[in-house]
Amino acid sequence: MRLATWNVNSVKARLPRLLEWLAETKPDIVCLQETKCAAEAFPAAEVGELGYTAAAHGDGRWNGVALLSRVGLSDVTLSFPGEPGFAELDAVGAARLEARAIGATCGGIRVWSLYAPNGRSLDSPHYIYKLDWFAAFRDALATEMALGPLVACGDYNVAPTDADVWDPALFVGATHVTPAERQALADLRELGLFDVVPTPMKGPHPFTYWDYRAGMFHQNKGMRIDLVYASEGVAGRVRSAYVDREARKGKGPSDHAPIVVDLEA
């Protein structure tokens, strides 16, 4: 079984590239993030022509997540139990719940596609929201972990270690690398999840994100913020994992590269 995760940074803008990549790479399960489209506008028909069933969660403006599967897709959950909304109030006076998580059972595995909050800056309410979001996700997974094999894939917007950023000195005082954010990842691993670290296609670091600006990709000045966290039953089946750096090349790419994981049957 082949599993993949990819922040596509707008599924509509990246649709031709996505369809070509799906046809070439042939993953069985795909987690997509930052789709930036409403669920009803997701290109389910187009991916369906390649044999995928799709489930999407999005509001059409920002964020957005989706799951594609050729091995079954059932028990779909939009957002996770207890997921917090951002402090900005919606029209009815409740904290605005963003489209950042979708779960489903695919091929006997509970799969989550996640787009964690960015956090923006350490003095921003978005940073507190990010930490609250991770804490709530940890609580939700604590329940689901007991139910069977599980994998939580996506853009976590946290680099697990200093080795996961191209120059740690440049990130001092910034989000994505703080002790609190890294502790949030550690709390997930303490549940029994394993970080499936992919093999890089260039250089010693398996970066998955490179800013569009200043030739960062060509200089390999990136970050590993897209992660595959798997329960023991899934991690033990991993045969290989790699960052598909080729998908970051060419005209009009996403600023992220997909991670591809091959599992034993």
Side-chain angles (χ1 to χ4, degrees):
M1 184 184 293
R2 173 165 280 189
L3 168 74
T5 183
W6 193 3
N7 178 325
V8 291
N9 191 14
S10 175
V11 70
K12 290 184 178 180
R14 239 59 69 185
L15 185 58
R17 295 180 65 108
L18 173 63
L19 295 176
E20 180 181 9
W21 183 82
L22 290 172
E24 291 179 353
T25 308
K26 296 180 173 57
D28 298 295
I29 303 168
V30 185
C31 301
L32 299 176
Q33 301 87 41
E34 209 172 354
T35 55
K36 296 182 178 178
C37 76
E40 60 271 18
F42 187 84
E46 289 88 337
V47 299
E49 291 179 1
L50 295 175
Y52 292 96
T53 301
H57 181 28
D59 61 16
R61 297 175 296 171
W62 308 104
N63 311 314
V65 286
L67 286 167
L68 313 180
S69 177
R70 302 193 303 180
V71 291
L73 194 153
S74 61
D75 303 320
V76 176
T77 303
L78 306 183
S79 304
F80 52 81
E83 182 173 349
F86 183 59
E88 178 181 305
L89 301 183
D90 63 17
V92 296
R96 175 168 52 86
L97 188 62
E98 299 178 324
R100 295 190 173 276
I102 186 170
T105 301
C106 308
I109 300 172
R110 187 63 176 170
V111 181
W112 282 95
S113 179
L114 307 167
Y115 180 44
N118 178 282
R120 298 194 181 182
S121 64
L122 302 188
D123 59 356
S124 169
H126 288 268
Y127 179 67
I128 301 302
Y129 164 52
K130 181 178 189 176
L131 298 179
D132 289 345
W133 188 92
F134 271 114
F137 184 56
R138 187 263 178 212
D139 290 344
L141 282 195
T143 299
E144 289 213 342
M145 287 282 289
L147 302 179
L150 181 146
V151 62
C153 304
D155 181 353
Y156 279 69
N157 268 316
V158 181
T161 72
D162 280 354
D164 296 311
V165 296
W166 67 275
D167 187 348
L170 294 179
F171 290 85
V172 174
T175 59
H176 292 57
V177 299
T178 64
E181 290 167 298
R182 288 175 172 172
Q183 183 60 49
L185 295 185
D187 291 343
L188 294 176
R189 295 193 299 271
E190 286 174 4
L191 292 175
L193 292 171
F194 294 82
D195 184 0
V196 179
V197 180
T199 299
M201 295 182 73
K202 178 181 178 179
H205 304 293
F207 297 146
T208 62
Y209 164 83
W210 301 261
D211 197 295
Y212 285 126
R213 298 169 294 180
M216 300 290 273
F217 176 67
H218 299 291
Q219 299 174 72
N220 202 30
K221 294 180 177 179
M223 306 173 72
R224 184 172 80 97
I225 56 175
D226 302 271
L227 307 174
V228 175
Y229 271 21
S231 66
E232 184 175 8
V234 178
R237 293 169 56 190
V238 173
R239 288 195 292 111
S240 66
Y242 68 94
V243 179
D244 189 354
R245 197 173 186 275
E246 294 298 309
R248 177 61 174 78
K249 296 180 179 179
K251 183 179 180 181
S254 170
D255 46 1
H256 295 249
I259 299 171
V260 180
V261 180
D262 286 317
L263 305 175
E264 294 178 348

